[in-house]
Amino acid sequence: METKVVTLHINGRTHQVALPPNRTLLQVLRDLGYTDVKNGCEKGDCGACAVLLNGKPVNSCLVLAWQADGAEIVTNAGLGDQAHPHVIQEAFADAGAIQCGYCTPGMIVSAKALLDRNPHPTDDEIREAISGNLCRCTGYVKIVEAIKLAAERMAAAKEGR
Amino acid sequence: MGLYKSKYTAKPLPPVDLPELRVVGKPLRRVDALAKAVGKTVYAGDFSMPGMLHAKVFRSTVPSARIKRLDVSKARALPGVACVLTAEDLPDGKLVTDIPGQTGQKIRKGSVTSVLARDRVRFVGDPIALVAAETLEIAEKALELIEIEYEELPGVFDPLEAMKPGAPIVYEPDNIVARWRIRKGDVRAGMAEADLIIENTYRVPFVEHAYLEPEAGVAWVDERGVINIRVSTQVVEHFRSIAKAVGVPQNKIRTIGTMVGGGFGGKEDITVEIFLALLAKHTQRPVKLVYTREESMMSQSKRHPFVITHRTGVKRNGRIVAAEIDLVADSGAYPYLSPYVLLYAVVMATGPYRIPNVRVDGVAVATNNPFTSAFRGFGGPQAAFAYEQQMDAIAEALGMDPMEVRRINYLRTGDTNATGQVIESATWLEETATRALEALGEKEPDRGSVKIGRGVASYFQSYGRITWLHDTSRAWVGVELDGTVVVRSGVPDLGAGQVNSLAQIAAEVLGVPLEQVTVYSTDSALTPLAGTSTATRQLYMSGNATYQAASAVRKVLLDRASKYFEEDPEDLDIAEGRIFVKHDPDQSISLAEMAQICAAEGLPLSNLALFRAPFTDPLDPENLRGRVFPDFTFGAQAVEVAVDTETGEVTVLKSVACHDVGRAINRAAVEGQIEGGSSQGLGYALLEEYIVEEGIPKTVTLSEYLIPTSMDFPPTKAIVLESGSGKGPFGAKGIGEPSLTPAAPAVANAVADAIGLRIHELPITPEKVLEALRKAER
């Protein structure tokens, strides 16, 4: 199969990879070692593989890697690490929003996209924003609380409180 | 219309004396939370190794057939294919699909099958051949090159049909997989005494676990010749069954469990392990196998469909005097855990009620449907859907309040259940049910064709394994020379916080902050075996083992400190990493310094403890009399629903669950179990059905099989009560499975309360509601 060299900017690193046209962004991300991007269905049904593509949340299983040529990609692990977690990541841990953790990276990506465009979401807006991310453990209760907590903490930090 | 009163007042709690604790009970951030939040946690499918092969499984596409011809030569010849295995390559490849045992119980008939089908397939998804190749793409291509011809055989897809004479036999000698019976008192006399006999039949469907992480693992042979399997599993003790199936000694298989991306019983049976071990053994290279979502849903176990008939004799005053209950479970194509799921359903079939005269008959039946096995609740939710609707049906027939009928019949501490087991712990049934109902607040009024209803369901559900399985668990606890703590225990963590609970218990006993505990878990070779993360047993079993081991280390430290301070050990305590004199806290020494003193004197700073559940002998299956479980959890859920009588749609408006958890080890984690269990239970009530038509699964993606999204249900409010009466550490009971059980019957009761018609079958879809309304009109 014909291949093309695709340039991907992922979490601040640049990769150039020769890829056939049928490779999904999810497959390429995981092959490159970004295993925080989870494979839950490869059909766009579960949201576990969500990443930010040029700032917009997408299911990476539904994006062909060729389509992402030149794009800025941020995965959940690109938002923070254990020493310096992102405020949303920390809120998820603090609120008890994580059980098995398999949906968490995609969930946090959706939360990040929401809070970027709407820093003070209502419960309904939060529930809508994460409606493409399935979670089988939590019943979403503490996930919604975590996103509210993150919004509060971000607002407090902005006001210098 | 409406069975329920508009308001209930909670019964006061009995007085309980719970000691104040420093770490246990607090809603602390779980030790595994931050790594999961930042995507650092490595799951089974995330591992790769140098030179690793990729595996795929070739499976049956027909539900019942003889394999006439299987030709893998083209697949073997494909460049890049390292290995293709069929039953021909595995003369001894037997898989025991029986309970994962640490103690080698008697194996039931039909439980032994081939790892790969040799001449017969029994369900869509039966594994036939394994492929390992240099890339996943080549492995997928190789599957397409495998040639197979089937001679299709008549199948049987309904357990009631499968019991009839002349039905196709799924495996010899007949389709009866298991039977359990209970005979208590004199049912005939009891029924004769009854003023009213109420009979109903309830049905529940196949349900899919739908954990977000499909089954996955990596295996390799190491320099010792040991086959290592890094896998997402609820049971590392499967290494014994894997060794048998692969034909190597038990000490040549090592199972390393990863953090599990959701299990719910679906990773309780062996999944990828034997396939991986065989391929690694044959190729002597690392091999990775990850199921696709469709493969996971098509080929792995399901929750048992049941048909349950209740015939209940009651007095006018609401007292139940006799119950006859018949249960039929669809076991699918292989037994797996069906005998035990059926046992749970049979033992819990009466619900948490005192009934003097009982007959229960349960049967699990083989069909050519997907095989059924463990799923959170393990027969309990199916039983509860029937017995709790039956309670409301009784109330309706008697013209009584449903809570009043329950109150009259609830089990109390010291009573015996249907098998004659004495209930030893607190039975806060009325306390939990009235709290759940009270917390619903004011009932909304009907809105024209939209009718509002309320329902409650109480339940009892065992925690800990069947006592004749002689369950044990081990934990090792040690203090390092800087005062930090290490726990080693084989527990698999399914995401419920199993590892964190052990850390909180060790931190409490040894008086250190939670951050100072490191837990190593889930390695069949290097961590003491802790048994299965199933049956709501880990907090009870491994929690107690950890408590014992930590207490032994604490005793060493305090005995030595007693000499140091010249005070009795009882007058000393440990907190925040310091040992101090209780009546004079200024007299203190750090745990690190005391550990160094102990080490210099050769005192043991670690302990390996073994916790044993009560051991009993197996009961007579013809009449179960005696203890079956260590103990039970009690609780209730109440919901308010809106039923649109024009569309049939049921909307949950409010949901409150109240459980006596004995003692909460981590309050946030307990709430998480209750909220998440409720979500699965509400999905069971209204959304979820794994549809199988003539043995062909029809719902093998997450767009066809619907689990709750964030938009489907309101949050379930969790009310956590602590009687301190459980058999776990600090009086804890188990909550993992019980949290799911009451949701579906509460919804069914609320629907009946709203429209005056009872839906006897899950899920309660708009079609079923409209059908019931249409029938009532006629």
Side-chain angles (χ1 to χ4, degrees), chain B residues 264-500:
Chain B
F264 317 119
K267 293 166 184 167
E268 178 166 344
D269 297 304
I270 289 170
T271 60
V272 296
E273 295 97 314
I274 293 174
F275 302 153
L276 280 169
L278 286 167
L279 290 168
K281 183 184 167 203
H282 275 78
T283 62
Q284 292 292 308
R285 287 174 64 181
V287 186
K288 180 173 190 167
L289 176 56
V290 181
Y291 289 168
T292 63
R293 173 60 57 185
E294 291 76 6
E295 185 174 22
S296 170
M297 292 182 76
M298 184 185 73
S299 67
Q300 301 299 296
S301 75
K302 301 285 168 282
R303 186 189 289 288
H304 289 73
F306 268 81
V307 179
I308 304 177
T309 299
H310 275 255
R311 195 163 169 269
T312 316
V314 292
K315 304 289 283 181
R316 290 248 173 266
N317 64 8
R319 184 164 295 286
I320 300 171
V321 287
E324 293 190 272
I325 308 167
D326 290 279
L327 305 95
V328 180
D330 187 342
S331 164
Y334 295 99
Y336 284 87
L337 299 172
S338 290
Y340 304 95
V341 172
L342 178 71
L343 173 76
Y344 274 57
V346 162
V347 174
M348 293 183 236
T350 56
Y353 304 104
R354 322 159 103 171
I355 308 177
N357 307 295
V358 177
R359 175 187 69 77
V360 186
D361 281 77
V363 58
V365 188
T367 66
N368 295 103
N369 287 326
F371 71 87
T372 44
S373 194
F375 193 148
R376 194 177 194 172
F378 210 78
Q382 292 97 321
F385 177 69
Y387 65 67
E388 278 305 88
Q389 283 221 73
Q390 186 72 359
M391 291 306 286
D392 275 28
I394 291 166
E396 191 179 1
L398 294 172
M400 288 176 72
D401 184 281
M403 268 312 297
E404 183 61 11
V405 176
R406 283 186 177 78
R407 195 188 59 76
I408 290 168
N409 293 288
Y410 276 142
L411 280 173
R412 290 172 211 159
T413 305
D415 284 349
T416 56
N417 71 348
T419 69
Q421 175 171 350
V422 177
I423 306 295
E424 293 160 351
S425 62
T427 58
W428 285 3
L429 288 158
E430 192 177 349
E431 289 84 349
T432 50
T434 51
R435 267 169 186 71
L437 279 165
E438 185 179 59
L440 289 178
E442 285 296 317
K443 185 175 165 184
E444 286 187 23
D446 289 351
R447 303 186 295 265
S449 60
V450 176
K451 308 294 182 195
I452 309 297
R454 285 184 163 185
V456 75
S458 292
Y459 73 90
F460 76 144
Q461 173 103 35
S462 59
Y463 62 92
R465 291 176 90 192
I466 298 161
T467 47
W468 71 70
L469 297 180
H470 293 195
D471 197 11
T472 58
S473 173
R474 291 147 205 83
W476 182 100
V477 177
V479 173
E480 285 303 328
L481 299 187
D482 59 357
T484 58
V485 172
V486 174
V487 178
R488 293 189 173 90
S489 184
V491 293
D493 194 315
L494 314 186
Q498 281 89 354
V499 160
N500 181 76

Side-chain angles (χ1 to χ4, degrees), chain A residues 23 30 36 38 40 43 45 76 82 89-90 94 98-102 108 127 131 136-137 139-140 142, chain B residues 29-30 36-37 43 45-46 137 208-209 212 293-294 495 671-673 675-676 680 688 708-710:
Chain A
R23 302 286 289 164
R30 288 186 58 83
D36 63 303
K38 294 294 180 240
K43 290 269 192 293
D45 294 331
N76 176 51
Q82 277 169 298
Q89 294 170 329
E90 184 126 48
D94 288 342
I98 300 167
Q99 290 189 29
C100 87
Y102 202 81
I108 288 176
R127 285 183 173 269
S131 62
R136 190 58 155 164
C137 297
Y140 306 99
K142 291 193 176 355
Chain B
R29 179 200 274 186
R30 271 169 43 177
K36 286 175 172 173
Y43 294 81
D46 298 341
E137 290 68 32
E208 158 68 24
H209 302 84
L212 266 285
R293 173 60 57 185
E294 291 76 6
E671 289 170 1
Q673 286 302 295
E675 293 155 2
Q680 288 186 0
E688 297 186 32
T709 70
S710 56

Side-chain angles (χ1 to χ4, degrees), chain B residues 91-153:
Chain B
D92 303 317
K94 294 288 183 211
L95 169 63
V96 179
T97 66
D98 202 339
I99 199 156
Q102 297 106 307
T103 51
Q105 305 87 26
K106 196 176 91 180
I107 290 162
R108 289 177 168 266
K109 70 176 173 155
S111 295
V112 181
T113 183
S114 304
V115 168
L116 297 173
R118 186 176 302 273
D119 45 22
R120 176 87 164 88
V121 292
R122 295 185 174 86
F123 79 105
V124 171
D126 227 347
I128 298 166
L130 307 175
V131 174
E134 299 295 337
T135 67
L136 191 57
E137 290 68 32
I138 297 170
E140 284 166 352
K141 179 77 191 150
L143 284 196
E144 291 169 17
L145 296 176
I146 293 175
E147 293 172 9
I148 190 158
E149 275 178 55
Y150 298 109
E151 176 194 341
E152 293 210 37
L153 301 172

Side-chain angles (χ1 to χ4, degrees), chain B residues 49-219:
Chain B
M49 294 181 76
M52 185 176 81
L53 297 166
H54 297 264
K56 292 293 285 183
V57 184
F58 183 80
R59 296 176 182 279
S60 166
T61 53
V62 294
S64 178
R66 197 175 64 78
I67 299 174
K68 272 168 66 181
R69 189 176 73 89
L70 176 66
D71 184 353
V72 298
S73 56
K74 290 196 178 105
R76 278 199 175 119
L78 183 70
V81 170
C83 180
V84 180
L85 297 178
T86 69
E88 294 300 312
D89 305 301
L90 315 170
D92 303 317
K94 294 288 183 211
L95 169 63
V96 179
T97 66
D98 202 339
I99 199 156
Q102 297 106 307
T103 51
Q105 305 87 26
K106 196 176 91 180
I107 290 162
R108 289 177 168 266
K109 70 176 173 155
S111 295
V112 181
T113 183
S114 304
V115 168
L116 297 173
R118 186 176 302 273
D119 45 22
R120 176 87 164 88
V121 292
R122 295 185 174 86
F123 79 105
V124 171
D126 227 347
I128 298 166
L130 307 175
V131 174
E134 299 295 337
T135 67
L136 191 57
E137 290 68 32
I138 297 170
E140 284 166 352
K141 179 77 191 150
L143 284 196
E144 291 169 17
L145 296 176
I146 293 175
E147 293 172 9
I148 190 158
E149 275 178 55
Y150 298 109
E151 176 194 341
E152 293 210 37
L153 301 172
V156 62
F157 308 107
D158 177 336
L160 299 172
E161 293 297 320
M163 284 193 288
K164 290 180 180 166
I169 301 297
V170 180
Y171 44 82
E172 295 299 330
D174 57 32
N175 290 332
I176 305 302
V177 177
R179 280 187 194 279
W180 303 100
R181 296 188 167 101
I182 300 175
R183 301 285 182 270
K184 178 186 185 185
D186 183 339
V187 168
R188 187 179 295 200
M191 288 294 180
E193 198 192 321
D195 295 320
L196 205 61
I197 293 171
I198 292 128
E199 180 169 338
N200 285 299
T201 296
Y202 304 92
R203 289 183 170 80
V204 287
F206 286 106
V207 186
E208 158 68 24
H209 302 84
Y211 24 72
L212 266 285
E213 177 204 39
E215 298 77 358
V218 177

Side-chain angles (χ1 to χ4, degrees), chain B residues 523-536:
Chain B
D523 185 327
S524 72
L526 299 183
T527 55
L529 294 178
T532 63
S533 284
T534 70
T536 309

